[in-house]
Amino acid sequence: MANPQAGGTGARRTPLQAFLYWGTVIGVWGLIFLVAFLAVFAIDLPDVSKLNDVTRQPSISYLDRSGALIAVRGSQYAPPVDLEKLPEYVPEAFLAIEDRRFYWHPGFDPIGIARAGVANVKAGKVVAGGSTITQQLARNLFLTLDQNWRRKVQELILAVWLEIKFSKKEILALYLNRVYFGAGAYGIEAASQRYFNKPASKLTLGEASLLAGMMKGPSRYSPVSAKERAARRATIVLDEMVRTKAITPEEREAAVKTPVRVSAVLANQRAQYFTDWMDGQVRALVGEPTEDLYVETTLDLPIQAAAEQAVRAGVARNKAAGVQQAALVALDAEGRVRAYVGGVDYSESQFDRASVAKRQAGSAFKPFVYLTAMEQGRNPGVVVVDEPLKIGNWEPRNYDGRFAGAMTLETALAKSTNTVAARLANEVGTGNVASTARRLGISSKIQLDPSMALGAVEVSPLEMAQAYAPFSNGGFRARAWGISRIRTASGKVLYDHNIEKRGRQSVIGSPALPYMNQMMRTVVTGGTGTAARVPGFDIAGKTGTTSDYRDAWFVGYTGGFVVAVWTGKDDNTPMRRVTGGGAPAQIWKGFMGQALPRLKAGPIPGGRIAPPEPENQGPIDDILSGIGIGGEEPPEPQPRAPTPAPEPARPPEEVPF
């Protein structure tokens, strides 16, 4: 038999030679495949030449009427912090919880990826991630948040590039200065100022652990909105720091025992409900900003502070009676919003009860009934009879279940007598009453059933304030507004309210206006609103209470200044016998006691008109029947409370570990 290796075909390869040969072939082809693979994913890699450029959402700075800063909306960046100036435990906190092997891996951590993969398989869902700090930096700097394989591979490529381009110390500094901490704060300096009102160089161990813990989810682990969850996460960070020997067990125990004081909002983030109300309007007027904007508003910060204090104090004082929330809106004669409070605590609930919530007005709606009657020829001295009444199937009842007999319209409004208001609305026409309310500023739907006379109409405090404004300013329509001017950081004016300002529209004439002011003064001097009296000032207004005490109102005014106050519960369940003459009137007085001296308000314009001699209105036919909605409790003697002193700045809240 012939030798198979004869004929110049060469000797058979040894196993070692075969291994080397095929290893080389596979290696070459693997390298070709890897290069091709990376080339495909690198085609649309972002431009990394502008690494140090900061691209951010333009900010909107809101200023009060005197130019003081109210709030800033949009991304907040602080100057980069020098890693050397931070306490050693600050970067160590992030390394312990986010990337323990940061100083040893090449940009990605195979051990961490494997561990995360095993955990995810066991759980049957994604419960852990294997991203290193370098990968997170690459993602934050260059990539979108899309979850797909292309983005993940690009993240790995960029992470390796960052490791080649920069030192570990530079990567860590970039990370700490660019990572997002929620609430619009980018970078550890902005976060430290946002949550603790201090520079990052003065962060305590507990504060550093809270910030590091937020990396798992800035919203979910926010020390403002999720205090307990944030505290538990911070404790885990401290445990990891002990495990990596970044701190001692004794230092951990000391940090756990020291409560961290967290600011609910920045020192310059005030009037948040008002800013929310403004935010949508700014974008409607000028579109999405392409550069930093300054919005000059009508708000008066000292008056706003008094309003917030009065609301908090009033709700706290009446908490036992079931008062959980309140709202307050104050307008001047032109409709400028001077104070705006949408709830007791913005950090606990961002729902705006000043303009978004709609609640039944109760007897605070009755002035529109009486105004319609005055415009049809009646006057405060007209005598009516408080007696049982049926209008179809509806039978209104008074608050105390009794009937007082003959009285004037002035007395009926002051005592908030339901039968008289219902009869009056039926006589003048509920459609005419609705037209009057719309003319003055009520924009919500007004149903025309007889019960509307007693306030079965859902409105917002903002609407009520602007609808009462004509009583305070001489009879002119005063649509509520809050933006005076919008300008760019470079000074270009994008919007100016004065340019669009129109002539004043008269909506209440004489003698109806002085008649109404006379009657609503009596509400405060001897009716259901006596708790709202502010000595030395010309005050008028109307209380409102709805069925089962679900809502309580006081809307009052002086010369050129009107304030609407609502109290109740968000779930619309009843309070415990809280009437408009109680908590709302107390809040109103607490606010006005501080605001009026600053405003230098004058008397209510329009003068006084002596009405004709009292005349009997005569019997009124019974037409319709049901249950009363807006009756008021007879006024009780109110202790005269001193004007409260200005409340000191609210201390930051504590996050216990």
Side-chain angles (χ1 to χ4, degrees):
M1 177 181 270
N3 189 339
Q5 294 185 358
T9 58
R12 183 185 297 273
R13 296 186 183 91
T14 65
L16 177 60
Q17 289 174 327
F19 176 79
L20 293 175
Y21 172 80
W22 289 110
T24 302
V25 171
I26 293 171
V28 169
W29 280 105
L31 182 61
I32 293 172
F33 175 79
L34 180 62
V35 170
F37 178 83
L38 294 178
V40 169
F41 285 94
I43 288 174
D44 57 351
L45 275 177
D47 180 11
V48 296
S49 64
K50 298 181 179 180
L51 173 66
N52 294 314
D53 294 349
V54 175
T55 302
R56 65 176 176 85
Q57 173 192 356
S59 65
I60 304 176
S61 297
Y62 291 90
L63 311 176
D64 90 332
R65 64 196 307 266
S66 64
L69 182 64
I70 299 173
V72 179
R73 290 292 170 89
S75 301
Q76 301 164 35
Y77 283 84
V81 67
D82 185 350
L83 209 60
E84 297 293 337
K85 294 182 179 179
L86 292 175
E88 188 176 348
Y89 50 72
V90 173
E92 290 291 345
F94 289 83
L95 294 176
I97 196 66
E98 290 295 310
D99 193 354
R100 221 185 283 175
R101 285 174 290 278
F102 173 73
Y103 285 107
W104 292 277
H105 63 62
F108 61 92
D109 184 4
I111 297 175
I113 293 173
R115 182 182 292 112
V118 171
N120 293 335
V121 169
K122 286 183 177 179
K125 59 181 179 179
V126 178
V127 295
S131 292
T132 64
I133 277 180
T134 314
Q135 287 176 266
Q136 293 178 47
L137 178 62
R139 183 191 315 145
N140 292 336
L141 289 177
F142 305 119
L143 300 173
T144 67
L145 297 179
D146 296 336
Q147 295 291 338
N148 54 59
W149 283 104
R150 172 176 288 273
R151 190 199 63 78
K152 195 66 179 176
V153 172
Q154 289 180 334
E155 179 184 296
L156 289 170
I157 295 171
L158 289 168
V160 173
W161 177 84
L162 285 171
E163 291 281 346
I164 296 171
K165 177 79 173 176
F166 300 99
S167 68
K168 288 287 187 179
K169 181 178 176 182
E170 288 172 327
I171 290 172
L172 185 56
L174 274 170
Y175 172 80
L176 290 176
N177 284 314
R178 296 296 184 86
V179 71
Y180 183 56
F181 287 89
Y186 287 83
I188 194 162
E189 181 66 23
S192 182
Q193 295 288 354
R194 164 62 185 85
Y195 294 108
F196 310 116
N197 283 333
K198 63 168 66 173
S201 60
K202 296 187 181 300
L203 285 170
T204 66
L205 177 56
E207 292 165 347
S209 66
L210 273 170
L211 293 180
M214 293 176 70
M215 296 301 92
K216 190 174 182 180
S219 298
R220 180 171 173 77
Y221 296 96
S222 168
V224 173
S225 59
K227 300 179 184 66
E228 293 183 3
R229 190 182 296 125
R232 289 195 298 270
R233 180 67 178 168
T235 303
I236 293 174
V237 174
L238 292 172
D239 291 340
E240 290 298 318
M241 293 181 74
V242 172
R243 192 170 289 115
T244 60
K245 296 183 170 31
I247 60 173
T248 64
E250 291 74 23
E251 288 173 321
R252 177 216 181 266
E253 290 305 313
V256 168
K257 292 177 181 178
T258 305
V260 175
R261 301 174 69 81
V262 178
S263 298
V265 294
L266 276 171
N268 66 347
Q269 297 283 333
R270 295 166 286 191
Q272 293 291 284
Y273 292 107
F274 175 77
T275 306
D276 283 351
W277 183 56
M278 291 286 92
D279 219 33
Q281 296 181 42
V282 169
R283 287 168 169 77
L285 289 170
V286 301
E288 285 296 323
T290 56
E291 58 180 308
D292 291 348
L293 298 182
Y294 289 88
V295 180
E296 299 169 9
T297 75
T298 61
L299 201 76
D300 188 326
L301 272 180
I303 291 177
Q304 173 71 19
E308 293 175 357
Q309 174 195 340
V311 165
R312 286 196 300 270
V315 171
R317 186 185 305 120
N318 293 276
K319 188 174 182 179
V323 177
Q324 292 180 351
Q325 279 295 347
L328 182 154
V329 177
L331 310 179
D332 67 13
E334 300 289 335
R336 300 180 187 89
V337 175
R338 302 289 290 276
Y340 185 107
V341 183
V344 177
D345 191 335
Y346 184 85
S347 67
E348 292 185 358
S349 170
Q350 289 78 53
F351 179 64
D352 183 2
R353 301 152 190 87
S355 62
V356 177
K358 300 290 182 74
R359 303 295 290 251
Q360 285 197 358
S363 294
F365 194 81
K366 288 178 181 175
F368 308 126
V369 176
Y370 281 79
L371 175 58
T372 306
M374 297 299 112
E375 292 175 336
Q376 290 189 9
R378 292 168 179 78
N379 65 71
V382 168
V383 175
V384 291
V385 180
D386 173 20
E387 60 186 355
L389 173 67
K390 277 190 177 182
I391 304 177
N393 293 321
W394 184 54
E395 188 174 357
R397 298 195 301 260
N398 291 325
Y399 176 85
D400 58 7
R402 294 177 292 184
F403 302 98
M407 63 178 65
T408 64
L409 288 179
E410 182 172 351
T411 300
L413 182 62
K415 302 298 183 184
S416 204
T417 305
N418 283 341
T419 59
V420 173
R423 177 172 290 172
L424 203 57
N426 186 57
E427 285 189 333
V428 302
T430 55
N432 291 326
V433 173
S435 296
T436 297
R438 294 193 193 287
R439 188 175 78 236
L440 268 62
I442 298 296
S443 57
S444 294
K445 180 180 178 181
I446 302 175
Q447 55 89 12
L448 301 183
D449 291 343
S451 61
M452 67 94 80
L454 308 186
V457 178
E458 293 184 346
V459 294
S460 70
L462 184 71
E463 285 179 272
M464 291 298 282
Q466 70 181 9
Y468 271 62
F471 296 125
S472 75
N473 66 13
F476 296 97
R477 177 71 183 264
R479 190 182 303 276
W481 58 282
I483 299 175
S484 298
R485 194 167 66 142
I486 303 174
R487 56 183 170 84
T488 65
S490 60
K492 181 181 178 181
V493 176
L494 303 180
Y495 169 82
D496 191 331
H497 179 83
N498 290 327
I499 295 177
E500 300 184 2
K501 191 175 180 181
R502 301 172 183 173
R504 302 182 78 188
Q505 175 189 1
S506 178
V507 291
I508 309 177
S510 187
L513 178 61
Y515 282 166
M516 289 303 301
N517 285 336
Q518 173 185 326
M519 289 193 290
M520 285 199 276
R521 282 189 185 98
T522 305
V523 171
V524 176
T525 58
T528 58
T530 54
R533 281 185 295 188
V534 181
F537 291 93
D538 187 13
I539 304 294
K542 184 69 187 77
T543 55
T545 311
T546 62
S547 293
D548 299 325
Y549 307 99
R550 298 175 190 274
D551 305 276
W553 297 76
F554 184 77
V555 189
Y557 57 93
T558 186
F561 196 72
V562 59
V563 181
V565 176
W566 165 87
T567 63
K569 296 181 180 181
D570 286 337
D571 61 5
N572 201 32
T573 55
M575 297 175 286
R576 289 188 277 280
R577 299 183 67 83
V578 176
T579 67
Q586 294 167 11
I587 292 172
W588 196 94
K589 179 178 180 177
F591 166 61
M592 291 293 268
Q594 296 186 57
L596 285 175
R598 175 179 173 82
L599 292 168
K600 299 178 182 177
I604 299 169
R608 299 171 184 261
I609 293 182
E613 290 296 317
E615 55 186 75
N616 197 315
Q617 188 172 314
I620 302 175
D621 294 335
D622 293 339
I623 313 174
L624 287 179
S625 100
I627 63 168
I629 292 182
E632 293 291 337
E633 183 176 14
E636 298 180 0
Q638 297 288 334
R640 182 173 176 180
T643 300
E647 186 182 72
R650 187 167 45 143
E653 299 182 36
E654 293 185 349
V655 177
F657 284 88

